[in-house]
Amino acid sequence: MTLLTLLPIAWLALAAGLLFAWRGSLLALWREPVFKTPILIVESDDWGAGPPVQAEALAAIDACLERHCDATGRPAVMTLALILATPKPGMVGFETLMDASQRATLTAIRSGRERGVFALQLHGMLHFWPDTLRAAALDRAEVRAWLAAPELTERLPSHLQSRWTDASTLPSRPHARERVEAAVAEEVALYAEVFAAPPEVVVPPTFVWTREVEAAWAARGVRVVITPGHRLTCRDASGDPACQDKNLRNGEHGEGEALYLVRDEYFEPLLGQRPERALEALARKTRLGRPCLLETHRGNFLAAAGGDLDGALAALDTLYTIALRSFPTLRFASCAELGRAIRSGDALWIERNKRARFTIWLRRVALLPRFGKAARMAGLLPLLNLFARCHS
Ligand SMILES: [Zn+2]
């Protein structure tokens, strides 16, 4: 056998080896839905039961969203991840969104939902696990002080803001399954009572949750779980989210009928993140056929939490103005709608053309850690790109 015949055989073996070694990720990227148009969703967490000043901020956000419409005439949509209850001083009981003290906030939320600028998602009954907080208060003065006058959960130590793991001591431990199921049943029932329908989308607080929690949500009708691209199930000895048990992609199936969406881009003006950063994320996601879900928090809009309402609104306004100018086919949507579009393969949203999907898949696989570099160096990716161009 001559060198000229050996070389192609060796190259084919190398290419086949690369494809085989990464087959799981390559197939997962092929199965991941490709969205046809740029999609921008600002996801704002932590609203709901709490200080009444939220009502004023929500009304101002509502007015800002309504000023920006996509090519179909639809106004910008902000998803609100909602907390349903807030503790009374000393945690001697709780006030829920149904209580008179929360009426202004609830009215602002419902008003925005009716006009299509707010899409509601469940964040949790509370942004913590009550018994965890009680236990932590025994030896932490700042937790005792917070419990005496609870207002903004953002002020709690980060690990104590996780609801679905017992972080009273670190590393955290799982809750008993029956307690998880009872807590999920309670929060889903209250959400349904407040908003006349059970939640379709959940955002796990601090993105720490378990398979058991997810199964309990799914059993009660939740269809979409917002994730950072993986599932973390505990807090480690330092209090950081840990115990990853799963990598997740858009459209992958979770427990029951639930599917995942990935939110791993950020828009937090309070942390100095400018609209330009979010616009770069939108461009990047669009190129990969993915929706751009931007994480933000109510704290950006509340002075009591260190935010600046006017500054955050100006940043939001700039974000939508430039996004609509730079992406004429930009669409606004809720995560619930994206979930339904993925499920049904809705041709209005989801690309079905195999050539178009192949082009996007090539862009995605080029970013796979190690595979992208190896496939480029071996000449496999350039060859596949050439093939895609010749057939487009
Ligand atoms: Zn939160």
Side-chain angles (χ1 to χ4, degrees), residues 45-46 123 127 205-206 297:
D45 290 357
D46 302 343
H123 205 23
H127 210 302
T206 73
H297 293 84

Side-chain angles (χ1 to χ4, degrees), residues 67-360:
R67 285 197 297 274
H68 301 280
C69 292
D70 67 17
T72 70
R74 180 176 189 172
V77 180
M78 178 182 273
T79 61
L80 303 182
L82 299 169
I83 293 295
L84 308 180
T86 187
K88 293 177 181 173
M91 206 153 68
V92 292
F94 299 90
E95 284 178 350
T96 77
L97 273 176
M98 296 297 269
D99 286 302
S101 62
Q102 303 295 321
R103 190 168 297 141
T105 303
L106 182 58
T107 300
I109 292 170
R110 283 177 171 160
S111 166
R113 180 173 71 159
E114 277 162 25
R115 280 168 307 97
V117 293
F118 293 152
L120 312 186
Q121 307 181 153
L122 173 66
H123 205 23
M125 176 70 84
L126 296 158
H127 210 302
F128 54 84
W129 187 260
D131 285 350
T132 295
L133 226 51
R134 286 189 188 100
L138 296 176
D139 52 20
R140 293 191 71 143
E142 80 267 35
V143 179
R144 282 197 295 280
W146 189 89
L147 282 174
E151 199 159 61
L152 294 165
T153 46
E154 293 90 330
R155 298 237 169 93
L156 284 170
S158 167
H159 66 279
L160 295 177
Q161 295 178 36
S162 282
R163 175 164 168 77
W164 297 116
T165 188
D166 178 3
S168 52
T169 56
L170 295 171
S172 69
R173 290 150 296 139
H175 296 308
R177 180 194 294 259
E178 56 275 18
R179 296 203 68 196
V180 164
E181 286 180 355
V184 166
E186 187 187 23
E187 66 182 25
V188 169
L190 180 57
Y191 185 104
E193 186 185 347
V194 178
F195 298 110
E200 196 169 342
V201 183
V202 290
V203 184
T206 73
F207 279 149
V208 171
W209 80 107
T210 63
R211 194 185 67 76
E212 288 74 23
V213 178
E214 197 178 300
W217 279 326
R220 286 163 183 80
V222 167
R223 307 300 297 272
V224 177
V225 180
I226 305 298
T227 79
H230 46 257
R231 185 168 64 195
L232 299 165
T233 64
C234 79
R235 293 279 183 161
D236 66 14
S238 313
D240 294 326
C243 310
Q244 180 175 331
D245 69 349
K246 227 179 171 186
N247 274 316
L248 307 166
R249 297 185 193 281
N250 286 320
E252 277 185 3
H253 285 274
E255 298 299 314
E257 294 295 308
L259 60 76
Y260 303 114
L261 286 178
V262 174
R263 176 175 100 186
D264 57 2
E265 301 289 351
Y266 304 89
F267 178 62
E268 308 272 14
L270 187 55
L271 302 179
Q273 294 169 3
R274 302 296 310 148
E276 292 76 10
R277 172 182 165 143
L279 289 159
E280 284 166 18
L282 174 59
R284 203 163 47 239
K285 292 289 186 188
T286 299
R287 200 170 172 278
L288 296 170
R290 291 172 173 151
C292 182
L293 275 59
L294 295 172
E295 176 172 314
T296 192
H297 293 84
R298 70 171 179 182
N300 291 285
F301 303 91
L302 299 179
D308 165 18
L309 179 59
D310 290 341
L313 286 172
L316 197 62
D317 200 59
T318 302
L319 170 64
Y320 286 125
T321 302
I322 302 180
L324 285 165
R325 203 166 56 215
S326 308
F327 299 87
T329 57
L330 182 71
R331 295 287 304 272
F332 297 129
S334 68
C335 292
E337 288 173 278
L338 296 192
R340 280 178 242 138
I342 292 172
R343 241 176 256 287
S344 65
D346 188 340
L348 282 175
W349 294 92
I350 307 293
E351 184 61 75
R352 290 181 181 171
N353 180 287
K354 285 202 165 52
R355 284 180 191 165
R357 291 185 61 218
F358 184 63
T359 301
I360 296 287

